[in-house]
Amino acid sequence: MFFHQYPSLLAKGLGRLAIAATGLLAASGYAATQCQNPTPIWADEFNGTAVDTTKWEFQNGDGCSYGICGWGNNELQSYQSANATVANGLLTITAKKQRVGSKAYTSSRIRTLNMPNGGQWKNGRFEARVKVPRGAGMWPAFWMLPANTNVGWPMSGEIDILEATGQANMIAFGTLHYGEAWPNNQWTSGRILKQPDTWSDNFHTYAVEWEPNVIRWYIDDLLYSTKTPADLGNPAYWTFEDFQYYMILNLAIGGNLGGPVDESMLPQTMQVDYVRVYNYGKPNLSGKHLVEPNTSATYSVIDEAGTNSSYSWTSPTGQTSTGKSLTVNWGTLGGPVTVRITNSCGSYNLSLNVHVAPTLSKADIHDDFESNRNLAYTSWTGNLNQASANPSPTGVNTSSLVASYVRSSSSQYDVISGTTSLIPNAAPFVSGSKAFYLDVYTNAPVGTEMLVQLESSTATASNFPTGRHSRYIAHTTAQNSWQRVKFLMDDRIDGTTADTAVSKIVLLLAPNTFTGHTYYLDNFSTYAEGTAPAPATSMSVSGVSTSTASAGKGTKYATATVTVLDNNNNPVANATVTGNFSGTINQTGVSGKTGSDGKITLQTTSAAGGTLVVNFCVSALSHASLSHNTANSSGLCP
């Protein structure tokens, strides 16, 4: 929250906040060693009629009296005590259109530093049940700063437990700030997406559990991000154990992260049910809270202390378990996955509400580089050929003509931009009832990031974030074979750009890199919720990529990752893949079954030293109910 600064890419008008891609998947947990006392060591339940000024100190004004005008972030509000009220068991911080001095808005900010009944702490669990506001320009935060130190920011550190923005209220994130004095400060962050609704629709519990050399972030009972010294640019920047930290609650307006303010949405409120501090953490869950239809996902109890544990799981699909984990075979409907844990520490009820994405089918073709050319390209950074021969007309893509694009290795942000009339309303993309799909064939590494950004005609190269409606993210899943990727919601950038104002599509390949890989692109389309496709009848190998894995003592195994899709382009689980390795290590008949993502990584049993040449081909593919379409498969043995 404090002294946020942004890299030069903002000036380029592309502006992607540097947030680590923990994204939609929960991070791994840790083994708790001590039972949590169910009674907090500090709490405010907000059961009175006013802010308890023995626990909280108001920080009023525009920040100048603290030596940080604009509160270090070019914020637009003057904080006032009157904007924080307590009633009906809730703290309410209200953002208003109200002029005080040079500021056109008011809000409130409170902290626990050095208060008689407040406090500052090192390690523990810090949580608040909060309902964040909506509306462009809102910037709510629940965060921590070091107490009573002469060490400057960010060398002394900052722990952001919750941040969000009103325009992107479907995304919540937690951040660590550290490093050297500005402008050489650094941060690392995790984020979590909510669909089809937003985090501002209801109260949620936001927490960190802070142990020496590890900090974990949670929403409700779900772990979504973990940071250790290894995640920092330099592990020596981990100074969090050097200080005690106090808590802050505030609702900023505008500023570096809040962005342009939509005054028509004011007033807005940030409501807090309680704030609690515990000596130790509690059991939590890991697993996916957003899943694709007709896939499986595994949920596990983590962070658990105590002995002699028993578990009782339930799920909307009927799967149950008495073990520490539960695998759910999702269909098309979501719901709560729950578990009751009983052990020597007591009993805990955990719950995770899971949303199954809607089944989408092709609705609009933006460009297939043959007969459907609905995207008019206006600029591109690299070398674009809009009528290139398909390098491998098998698997996902059998088109004769595709686009080829050689990325400019001298450009950190390589951009393809075009105009469109096929997005009359961008709101369904934000909620997930529509999505962009793209066929990609590239020699770039597996996991290469790609972005689709929707813009209005007001966006220029120098006026970020104006005109940038939203951004969507995908990653490559194979190398040198066709893959069909789905772009997921990544950010709602400028809340003042209306859903109906989108007229431009921008594609960024491997942003924030200096790489010159070649990309073949095809069938850039919108898929929409509607009539589900017919049940799949066949499957094919959509991609094979090879690599190595350490075998110790300077030797390596050969590995191959095979992706299997059905004829509706969905991942195929439990397909048996058999194949042969050749090159440095020769081994035939290596076999395994695909997971819920349609992938299996096979490995040789022998290892070799030096530089390995790894080749792999699929000799057989079988499934209980799907036939193998060899004509559409790639990577098959001769």
Side-chain angles (χ1 to χ4, degrees):
M1 180 66 197
F2 186 55
F3 276 108
H4 282 279
Q5 300 291 340
Y6 293 87
S8 60
L9 66 98
L10 294 186
K12 298 177 180 291
L14 303 174
R16 184 150 193 265
L17 178 63
I19 291 180
T22 52
L24 307 178
L25 301 180
S28 59
Y30 76 109
T33 57
Q34 299 192 56
C35 299
Q36 181 192 83
N37 187 330
T39 302
I41 61 174
W42 185 93
D44 195 340
E45 305 293 328
F46 301 110
N47 288 330
T49 58
V51 173
D52 185 344
T53 53
T54 71
K55 292 183 175 181
W56 301 95
E57 176 193 21
F58 283 99
Q59 289 187 277
N60 290 335
D62 59 6
C64 293
S65 62
Y66 295 89
I68 46 172
C69 290
W71 297 99
N73 302 290
N74 300 309
E75 295 168 30
L76 304 179
Q77 79 287 332
S78 175
Y79 287 126
Q80 302 294 308
S81 300
N83 291 56
T85 59
V86 173
N88 302 316
L90 296 175
L91 165 69
T92 300
I93 297 177
T94 303
K96 300 179 181 179
K97 171 68 173 173
Q98 178 186 26
R99 179 164 293 280
V100 173
S102 63
K103 300 297 183 180
Y105 309 97
T106 60
S107 184
S108 203
R109 167 171 164 153
I110 56 176
R111 65 180 181 179
T112 62
L113 176 65
N114 297 330
M115 302 307 292
N117 295 316
Q120 41 271 345
W121 304 267
K122 182 193 300 184
N123 302 145
R125 178 180 170 92
F126 304 84
E127 69 176 42
R129 187 168 181 262
V130 181
K131 185 177 182 183
V132 297
R134 62 182 70 244
M138 300 299 99
W139 182 2
F142 170 41
W143 53 302
M144 304 178 75
L145 283 174
N148 308 320
T149 175
N150 292 323
V151 178
W153 183 95
M155 292 77 74
S156 55
E158 174 184 325
I159 304 170
D160 297 334
I161 304 170
L162 157 68
E163 286 186 284
T165 62
Q167 62 271 20
N169 55 356
M170 71 295 298
I171 297 169
F173 49 94
T175 306
L176 295 180
H177 291 266
Y178 55 89
E180 301 174 15
W182 183 85
N184 297 315
N185 54 302
Q186 299 181 38
W187 68 87
T188 182
S189 187
R191 67 207 323 253
I192 183 168
L193 173 67
K194 189 85 164 69
Q195 282 182 329
D197 54 349
T198 70
W199 297 115
S200 64
D201 290 333
N202 290 291
F203 282 90
H204 296 276
T205 301
Y206 302 86
V208 295
E209 292 183 2
W210 172 18
E211 296 284 317
N213 293 319
V214 60
I215 299 176
R216 298 164 300 277
W217 282 260
Y218 305 84
I219 288 186
D220 299 327
D221 293 323
L222 177 65
L223 171 66
Y224 75 91
S225 180
T226 299
K227 301 298 180 186
T228 69
D231 296 302
L232 277 53
N234 179 347
Y237 289 149
W238 188 280
T239 60
F240 300 99
E241 270 69 57
D242 295 348
F243 312 99
Q244 290 187 317
Y245 279 66
Y246 61 91
M247 295 183 295
I248 305 166
L249 289 166
N250 72 285
L251 174 52
I253 303 175
N256 296 346
L257 187 59
V261 180
D262 181 357
E263 293 187 353
S264 70
M265 296 291 288
L266 294 176
Q268 284 291 318
T269 61
M270 172 186 180
Q271 293 186 300
V272 185
D273 185 17
Y274 60 75
V275 180
R276 297 171 184 167
V277 180
Y278 294 90
N279 52 354
Y280 299 107
K282 70 173 188 67
N284 295 283
L285 295 174
S286 70
K288 294 182 179 180
H289 72 294
L290 300 176
V291 298
E292 290 296 309
N294 303 307
T295 61
S296 62
T298 298
Y299 302 89
S300 301
V301 175
I302 55 173
D303 310 340
E304 184 186 6
T307 57
N308 301 318
S309 296
S310 64
Y311 310 91
S312 179
W313 291 86
T314 66
S315 67
T317 55
Q319 282 95 16
T320 62
S321 173
T322 57
K324 199 168 187 176
S325 298
L326 170 70
T327 297
V328 178
N329 298 319
W330 295 104
T332 57
L333 298 177
V337 175
T338 68
V339 61
R340 180 170 176 82
I341 309 161
T342 301
N343 60 26
S344 60
C345 289
S347 294
Y348 304 87
N349 293 304
L350 306 179
S351 180
L352 174 61
N353 193 55
V354 177
H355 170 64
V356 177
T359 300
L360 306 179
S361 54
K362 187 180 291 185
D364 293 309
I365 300 173
H366 298 283
D367 203 341
D368 65 6
F369 300 98
E370 291 179 323
S371 59
N372 297 288
R373 305 299 309 277
N374 297 309
L375 188 60
Y377 299 95
T378 56
S379 64
W380 51 89
T381 309
N383 185 2
L384 175 64
N385 180 349
Q386 299 182 48
S388 178
N390 188 334
S392 179
T394 59
V396 168
N397 191 306
T398 58
S399 300
S400 297
L401 293 178
V402 299
S404 64
Y405 189 78
V406 180
R407 192 188 184 285
S408 171
S409 60
S410 62
S411 297
Q412 188 174 4
Y413 295 93
D414 185 296
V415 177
I416 304 172
S417 182
T419 59
T420 181
S421 60
L422 292 182
I423 306 179
N425 185 357
F429 293 95
V430 175
S431 67
S433 60
K434 285 187 177 181
F436 295 105
Y437 282 76
L438 177 68
D439 290 355
V440 181
Y441 181 109
T442 179
N443 58 353
V446 171
T448 295
E449 182 179 291
M450 298 176 291
L451 299 174
V452 168
Q453 188 160 292
L454 302 184
E455 300 182 354
S456 75
S457 59
T458 61
T460 69
S462 59
N463 69 342
F464 184 89
T466 301
R468 280 75 176 178
H469 180 277
S470 51
R471 184 170 52 235
Y472 306 84
I473 189 169
H475 296 86
T476 60
T477 60
Q479 190 175 36
N480 295 321
S481 64
W482 281 107
Q483 61 218 269
R484 181 161 294 161
V485 298
K486 177 183 181 181
F487 286 82
L488 301 174
M489 176 64 190
D490 186 57
D491 197 7
R492 177 70 167 94
I493 307 170
D494 178 14
T496 62
T497 297
D499 294 333
T500 56
V502 171
S503 59
K504 296 194 292 185
I505 297 178
V506 173
L507 176 65
L508 292 89
L509 301 173
N512 199 25
T513 69
F514 291 94
T515 55
H517 294 108
T518 297
Y519 297 80
Y520 293 93
L521 310 173
D522 199 12
N523 296 324
F524 182 39
S525 304
T526 290
Y527 281 55
E529 188 174 6
T531 304
T537 57
S538 65
M539 62 181 176
S540 58
V541 177
S542 72
V544 176
S545 62
T546 58
S547 187
T548 60
S550 174
K553 298 183 179 179
T555 63
K556 291 173 284 188
Y557 299 109
T559 66
T561 298
V562 180
T563 302
V564 180
L565 300 179
D566 64 27
N567 56 301
N568 290 327
N569 294 307
N570 293 317
V572 176
N574 297 314
T576 300
V577 178
T578 305
N580 305 327
F581 284 94
S582 60
T584 306
I585 302 174
N586 294 287
Q587 185 174 343
T588 61
V590 183
S591 184
K593 287 192 174 184
T594 57
S596 61
D597 59 356
K599 298 178 184 296
I600 176 64
T601 298
L602 302 171
Q603 182 174 292
T604 57
T605 55
S606 58
T611 301
L612 270 64
V613 176
V614 181
N615 301 310
F616 183 85
C617 65
V618 175
S619 60
L621 178 64
S622 62
H623 188 271
S625 59
L626 301 176
S627 63
H628 181 193
N629 186 338
T630 56
N632 283 339
S633 286
S634 60
L636 300 184
C637 296

